[in-house]
Amino acid sequence: MQPLRVFLLPLLDLLFPPACFHCHGRMETASLIVCDTCLELNGALDEDVCKKCGTPLESEDCDVCAENEFYFDIARAAYRFSGPMQTIIHQLKYNGMVSPVSFIVKGMQTTVNANAELSDIDFITAVPLHRVRRRERGFNQSELLARALAKALGVKYADPVSRHQYTESQTRLHKQQRIKNLGGAFKLRHKADLTNKRVLLIDDVFTTGSTVNEVSQVLKSGGAGYIAVLTAARAV
């Protein structure tokens, strides 16, 4: 079977040339997801950021942390939520195209390796979807990323938190509406033992931080000792 696959792949690329997810330009192989030009525009968050919430800083003080009570201990993102990365995440989240998962996770793994605060953990978990939305979408994109990252890092994956309230999409809501929308939406699963556990919480995009903060509060209430948040991208 493998020799046939090796023969067919170049033929398929010839008949259906792989295209960049962002600019739709032709590429040599679909496994690259985006072309070299778009790859340079991906917008990795490698500048000075707040030590707690990961917001890119223009001064020593973080306005985001000053205006919020965050329950997580640290938050980081692999990329800016703009340009090619915005396109890639939208294709994953709304069009059911799961092929970018491995590409995104490579960037997330690089971020973990560069931040010791993200690597000393007991398990990885994801922001859960309500069962209705999961059925509509067919999957939880954050869980796909979390499971793939857990496998890449050789770390346990667990899901101690469930989403028991069906809430309005956060996309078009402003900060206070997001917080109100998520109030009480998550709960700890029965018999989940988080005592002093160090948790890496995964989501696709950090916008205001309200979603990961709500889940972090539930994890902390269950006894978690340390919560690190890692998102694929950060809206800045």
Side-chain angles (χ1 to χ4, degrees), residues 67-89:
E67 297 172 359
N68 294 276
E69 180 184 3
F70 288 132
Y71 293 93
F72 53 76
D73 295 275
I74 184 175
R76 292 291 182 270
Y79 300 100
R80 289 177 176 271
F81 187 56
S82 61
M85 187 51 58
Q86 185 171 3
T87 301
I88 289 170
I89 291 177

Side-chain angles (χ1 to χ4, degrees), residues 80-101:
R80 289 177 176 271
F81 187 56
S82 61
M85 187 51 58
Q86 185 171 3
T87 301
I88 289 170
I89 291 177
H90 277 181
Q91 291 286 7
L92 167 63
K93 193 170 182 177
Y94 301 114
N95 295 332
M97 302 183 71
V98 298
S99 55
V101 168

Side-chain angles (χ1 to χ4, degrees), residues 5 55 64 109 151 159 168 180 213 235:
R5 175 181 170 83
T55 299
V64 176
Q109 186 175 3
K151 183 177 181 180
D159 57 349
E168 181 182 353
K180 183 178 180 180
N213 199 43

Side-chain angles (χ1 to χ4, degrees), residues 25-69:
R26 183 168 179 172
M27 300 192 303
E28 293 183 3
T29 172
S31 64
L32 297 176
I33 303 299
V34 294
C35 65
D36 290 341
T37 300
C38 289
L39 190 61
E40 293 179 0
L41 301 174
N42 245 349
L45 283 169
D46 54 3
E47 66 264 44
D48 291 336
V49 297
C50 171
K51 292 181 179 180
K52 183 176 181 69
C53 76
T55 299
L57 295 177
E58 296 181 357
S59 65
E60 294 183 0
D61 299 321
C62 177
D63 293 336
V64 176
C65 283
E67 297 172 359
N68 294 276
E69 180 184 3

Side-chain angles (χ1 to χ4, degrees), residues 98-138:
V98 298
S99 55
V101 168
S102 59
F103 174 82
I104 297 171
V105 167
K106 285 182 180 178
M108 297 177 77
Q109 186 175 3
T110 298
T111 303
V112 171
N113 293 336
N115 293 269
E117 302 93 335
L118 304 180
S119 58
D120 183 15
I121 55 171
D122 293 303
F123 67 86
I124 290 176
T125 192
V127 170
L129 274 183
H130 188 273
R131 64 181 182 277
V132 173
R133 183 155 289 138
R134 185 184 183 115
R135 185 166 62 246
E136 293 171 347
R137 190 169 294 170

